[in-house]
Amino acid sequence: AAWQKERDLLVEEVPVGVFIGQREITALMATPGRERELAAGFAVTMGWAGCQDPAPALDWNPQLCRVRLDLAGKEAPASGPRASGGGPLGPLEAPLAPDDFSLEMQDVLSLANTMAQTQELFRKTGATHAAALFDRSGRHLVTAEDVGRHNAVDKAVGALWLQGRLTEARAAALSGRLSLEMVLKGARAGLGLLLSVSAPSAPAVRKAQELGITLAGFSRGAQVNIYTHPHRITLNGKPL
C-alpha cells in the first residue's frame, strides 16, 4: 500500500489552575484559550455561583496558567465525588429547569448542525468537543471548544456569564455523551433543553426527569431521540 509523510495539526492541552480567593480548587486539563471563561463557567456549573449572580472579578495569570475568582465573599465547598471527566462532581442537587419556552422540532434538529458549523478547531484537528448555547427562540448565542467535553460546556457558560447574558440561554447542543454531571451542569446554568449527537447514560435520564430537563440524544440529520419532558418540543405548533 502507498503511504506518505504529512504534517498534522495537533491540539494542545495544559493544566489551568482555578482559585477561589486564595484557595486552589482544582487544575483542569484544557485547551489553551478562554481560560477566564473556563474558570467562571466552572464556578457556575459546580453550583458555587448562580447563573443570575453578577459576573465575578477575575485575575488571569498566563505565566502561572491560573485563574483567580472573587465570588463576592462566597467560599467554594470541599470537593465532592469525582466526575467521569476527572474533576470534582459537586453536590447532586440542582435547580429545576426553566419552563418558559418551547422549540419547534425543526429548530431542535438544527441545533446540532449549528454547533457543527461553528466547530472551527475540530475541523482543523478532529480532537475537540464542543458546546453551543441557544436562547428561548433557538438563536445561537455562543460555541466553545475544548479537548474536554466538560470544559467546552464551562467555557460556553462562562463566556455568557462574563457578558451578563447567561440568563438568555435556554438550550445547549453538545458533542459528547450526556452524563449525570452534564445534566447537573446544564441545570445549574439555567438550561431547560440538552441535546447531544451522542447517547445519555441512565443516571442522566433519571436526573433530567427529576429536574424537569428535556433530554435529547443521537441528534443526527432529521432524527433525534427524546428521553424526558418532550412538552418543550412542538411539531406543527403542538407539543409532543
Side-chain angles (χ1 to χ4, degrees):
W3 65 276
Q4 62 184 22
K5 289 183 178 181
E6 292 187 0
R7 291 184 178 274
D8 200 3
L9 183 63
L10 302 178
V11 68
E12 290 284 357
E13 53 181 331
V14 297
V16 179
V18 178
F19 286 70
I20 295 182
Q22 299 302 313
R23 179 181 169 196
E24 183 175 14
I25 303 303
T26 190
L28 302 171
M29 291 301 299
T31 302
R34 286 189 165 182
E35 290 85 359
R36 296 178 181 84
E37 290 86 347
L38 172 64
F42 185 73
V44 171
T45 64
M46 285 295 291
W48 300 332
C51 61
Q52 297 185 356
D53 290 348
L58 283 173
D59 177 44
W60 161 237
N61 187 320
Q63 285 73 38
L64 298 177
C65 203
R66 69 185 187 190
V67 184
R68 190 184 308 276
L69 297 89
D70 180 1
L71 296 180
K74 294 182 180 180
E75 290 292 334
S79 297
R82 307 303 288 182
S84 62
L89 177 58
L92 297 182
E93 295 81 13
L96 293 176
D99 210 10
D100 58 355
F101 75 103
S102 63
L103 291 175
E104 183 68 19
M105 176 62 81
Q106 63 182 14
D107 295 323
V108 173
L109 292 171
S110 72
L111 299 182
N113 183 54
T114 299
M115 176 186 67
Q117 291 176 348
T118 53
Q119 287 181 256
E120 297 180 5
L121 192 54
F122 180 80
R123 284 196 293 272
K124 296 176 181 178
T125 66
T128 56
H129 280 289
L133 301 184
F134 303 83
D135 68 10
R136 69 186 68 224
S137 67
R139 180 174 62 95
H140 177 249
L141 298 174
V142 65
T143 296
E145 295 182 87
D146 197 278
V147 289
R149 56 197 175 92
H150 303 88
N151 296 342
V153 172
D154 291 341
K155 285 182 175 181
V157 168
L160 291 184
W161 192 35
L162 294 179
Q163 296 172 23
R165 300 177 59 207
L166 182 53
T167 55
E168 297 178 27
R170 287 293 182 274
L174 309 172
S175 65
R177 178 172 52 88
L178 288 166
S179 58
L180 171 61
E181 60 266 31
M182 282 298 194
V183 170
L184 291 169
K185 282 178 178 287
R188 292 169 186 149
L191 305 178
L193 188 152
L194 300 178
L195 172 142
S196 177
V197 299
S198 188
S201 68
V205 172
R206 290 193 290 268
K207 182 57 73 171
Q209 181 66 34
E210 174 189 331
L211 296 177
I213 291 175
T214 301
L215 201 66
F218 292 109
S219 180
R220 300 169 186 179
Q223 183 174 344
V224 64
N225 294 353
I226 302 168
Y227 296 89
T228 59
H229 298 283
H231 66 278
R232 286 194 187 86
I233 301 175
T234 58
L235 187 60
N236 298 323
K238 297 180 179 180
L240 296 183

